[in-house]
């Protein structure tokens, strides 16, 4: 039994659009808002409830829109505010809500706040950002930015340094300053009043910094680790409760905080059931699990693959420990995480479809709000990188420069092998719509090359094949809408000693849903249905043999 409050965002499935790579309507090689509007019927057909749009605001695109220069304007590449309004109205008309990306840990250095802030130590905007004195020409501390190199940039004119946890074109906002916070809240109200339905909050666990700015532990590349002084920082929950009071509580919103480094105990605050902060968070434990098997060569860059038992232990723990206290988000993929069928599944042609469906079942039958990243519903795969020239992401370009060219820590071949595994560009290749040139994404030159496998893996092919990954996702989503047990049932792990099968039960009002997924390419014994066969709910084979799960079989029943 559960006494969970019933809310729409618990009953929804979210689809993430990375606008740059989704659909280009005007042939400039870059996806845009009209391209999204054109494809809304496709998303309605899939059955999704909510679209999360990665940033569409005005931006010089140092980090593909995660560097915003005007929160109240649309990026020229993507269209106009009228295009946005039309997209929003069309989505609403088709019964889908729209969640925007709130990037408020930092802005672009081209944002007027920063231009003002930089103009003089006396500027009223000086304190909107984090400025500190250096020491004998050295930065204020040894922190390394996420995108390589020092996390501080020197400003000669005012002889101070500003903090940028990401690129030097992404200066961190100073959340200690109440005026900064009010300016952000004001901007959020503006969008909420426009009728958007929620926020995905970029690196929200990093907005409150330890004001002593201590040096971090030094890593092999000579820089210090900022994590302990920034992640889940001293005032983060205070700030979020304030934001909730000031903005969120006045609207009916879905809010999800991107919370790298969040622990279960922290998540119980961020996503508390009393609604005092956010609806839910994205935790990173499962997607980071691969990073240590074997250890990466440098930073996050390795070729590891987490074992199923390790992933299972992590997600089962999140399922059980948040029960009744906080709400889970469920995701394998997003615009920062490699394609799931390549990363945790089996993308060989023989198994790709089966494996993609199994992974989807395993995640979508859990308790929480599932997120589908564009192309995941087609079983899209990672790409192969044969040269740095194929990369577009600032994270890849910077680590290449630092670890390959400058410090000679890894060879080009080693680095490219790591890119094949974890580069963000794996998920940023254009959406594969059909088998026409450039996968039907653009009639021009795509800003990033399409994955060469688009002739076989594309939406048109999926829509023509009743047995495709697309229709399987459609069924999973429809089941969530029709079976309250999938939304509200409690979670109970099964067969935790198995090396091959990830199984669990969901229970609600005397009903039991049984889910079992074979994570291997071999048949595996599975005794779960020996006593009671149950009623079939979904599976990725036409037939199920008692006592056995076929390679990558997923099987779900209810009784
Ligand atoms: C997290 C976003 O998901 C990522 O794409 C971005 O580069 C950083 N935050 C900086 O905004």
């Amino acid at each position: 039994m559960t006494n969970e409050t019933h809310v729409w965002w618990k009953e929804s499935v979210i689809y993430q659009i990375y606008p740059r790579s989704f659909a280009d309507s005007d042939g400039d090689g870059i996806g845009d808002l009209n391209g999204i509007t054109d494809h809304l019927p496709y998303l309605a057909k899939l059955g999704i409830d909510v679209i999360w749009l990665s940033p569409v605001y005005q931006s010089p695109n140092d980090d593909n829109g995660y560097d915003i220069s005007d929160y109240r304007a649309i990026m020229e590449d993507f269209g106009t505010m009228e295009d946005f309004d039309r997209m929003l109205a069309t989505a609403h008309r088709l019964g889908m809500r729209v969640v925007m990306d709130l990037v408020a840990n930092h802005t672009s250095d081209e944002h007027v706040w920063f231009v003002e802030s930089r103009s003089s130590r006396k500027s009223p905007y000086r304190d909107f950002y984090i400025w500190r004195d250096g020491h004998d020409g050295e930065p204020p501390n040894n922190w390394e930015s996420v995108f390589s190199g020092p996390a501080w940039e020197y400003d000669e004119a005012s002889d101070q340094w500003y903090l940028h946890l990401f690129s030097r074109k992404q200066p961190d906002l100073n959340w200690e300053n109440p005026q900064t916070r009010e300016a952000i809240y004001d901007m959020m109200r503006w969008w909420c009043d426009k009728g958007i339905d929620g926020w995905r909050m970029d690196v929200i666990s990093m907005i409150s910094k330890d004001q002593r700015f201590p040096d971090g532990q030094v890593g092999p590349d000579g820089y210090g680790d900022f994590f302990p002084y920034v992640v889940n920082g001293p005032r983060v929950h205070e700030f979020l409760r304030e934001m909730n009071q000031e903005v969120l509580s006045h609207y009916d919103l879905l809010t999800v905080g991107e919370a790298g480094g969040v622990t279960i105990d922290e998540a119980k605050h961020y996503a508390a059931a009393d609604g005092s902060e956010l609806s839910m968070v994205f935790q990173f434990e499962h997607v980071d699990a691969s990073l240590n098997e074997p250890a990466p060569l440098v930073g996050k860059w390795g070729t590891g693959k987490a074992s199923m038992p390790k992933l299972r232990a992590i997600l089962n723990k999140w399922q059980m420990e948040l029960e009744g206290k906080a709400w889970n988000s469920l995701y394998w993929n997003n615009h920062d995480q490699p394609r799931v069928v390549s990363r945790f599944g089996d993308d060989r042609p023989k198994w790709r479809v089966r494996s993609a469906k199994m992974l989807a079942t395993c995640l979508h039958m859990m308790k929480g709000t599932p997120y589908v990243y564009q192309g995941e519903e087609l079983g899209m795969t990672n790409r192969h990188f044969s040269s740095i020239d194929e990369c577009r992401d600032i994270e890849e370009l910077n680590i290449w420069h630092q670890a390959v060219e400058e410090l000679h820590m890894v060879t080009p071949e080693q680095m490219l092998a790591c890119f094949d595994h974890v580069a963000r560009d794996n998920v940023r290749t254009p959406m594969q719509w059909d088998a026409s040139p450039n996968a039907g994404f653009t009639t021009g030159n795509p800003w990033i090359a399409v994955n060469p496998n688009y002739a076989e893996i594309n939406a048109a092919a999926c829509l023509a094949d009743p047995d495709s990954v697309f229709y399987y996702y459609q069924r999973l989503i429809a089941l969530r809408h029709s079976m309250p047990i999938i939304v509200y049932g409690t979670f109970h792990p099964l067969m935790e000693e198995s090396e091959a099968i990830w199984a669990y039960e969901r229970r609600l009002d005397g009903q039991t849903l049984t889910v079992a997924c074979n994570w291997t390419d071999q048949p595996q014994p599975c005794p779960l249905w020996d006593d009671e066969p149950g009623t079939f709910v979904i599976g990725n084979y036409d037939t199920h043999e008692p006592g056995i799960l076929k390679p990558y079989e997923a099987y779900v029943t209810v009784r």
Side-chain angles (χ1 to χ4, degrees), residues 207-236:
I207 56 176
S208 164
K209 281 89 178 167
D210 182 332
Q211 292 300 296
R212 296 167 301 164
F213 293 93
D215 276 340
Q217 197 181 343
V218 177
D221 55 7
Y223 291 104
D225 178 14
F226 66 66
F227 239 64
Y229 312 107
V230 165
V231 172
N232 309 315
R235 298 181 67 190
V236 67

Side-chain angles (χ1 to χ4, degrees), residues 233-298:
R235 298 181 67 190
V236 67
H237 297 295
E238 177 195 332
F239 294 156
L240 286 176
R241 281 194 296 266
E242 181 185 83
M243 179 199 282
N244 188 295
Q245 288 290 310
E246 292 288 322
V247 187
L248 309 178
S249 60
H250 301 276
Y251 304 88
D252 180 20
L253 303 173
L254 177 163
T255 51
V256 52
E258 189 205 21
V262 69
T263 58
I264 285 186
D265 284 340
E266 284 290 337
K268 288 178 189 164
H269 296 286
Y270 285 112
D274 67 6
S276 54
E277 295 188 25
L278 307 175
S279 317
M280 61 193 115
V281 287
F282 290 130
Q283 58 82 20
F284 275 63
E285 264 194 79
H286 67 305
V287 288
D288 283 351
S290 288
L291 303 182
N292 293 317
E293 297 185 4
L297 299 177
V298 51

Side-chain angles (χ1 to χ4, degrees), residues 16 22 32 41 70 84 129 146 154 156 165 201 205 208 221 224 240 245 291 320 333 351 411 452 454 458 473-474 495:
Q16 183 191 352
F22 190 64
D32 48 44
D70 186 346
F84 178 87
Y129 295 84
V146 174
Y154 182 58
E156 215 176 315
L165 295 179
M201 302 190 183
S205 55
S208 164
D221 55 7
L240 286 176
Q245 288 290 310
L291 303 182
M320 287 184 299
N333 264 148
W351 296 120
T411 64
Y454 71 88
N458 62 63
Y473 269 82
Q474 189 190 53
M495 295 181 69

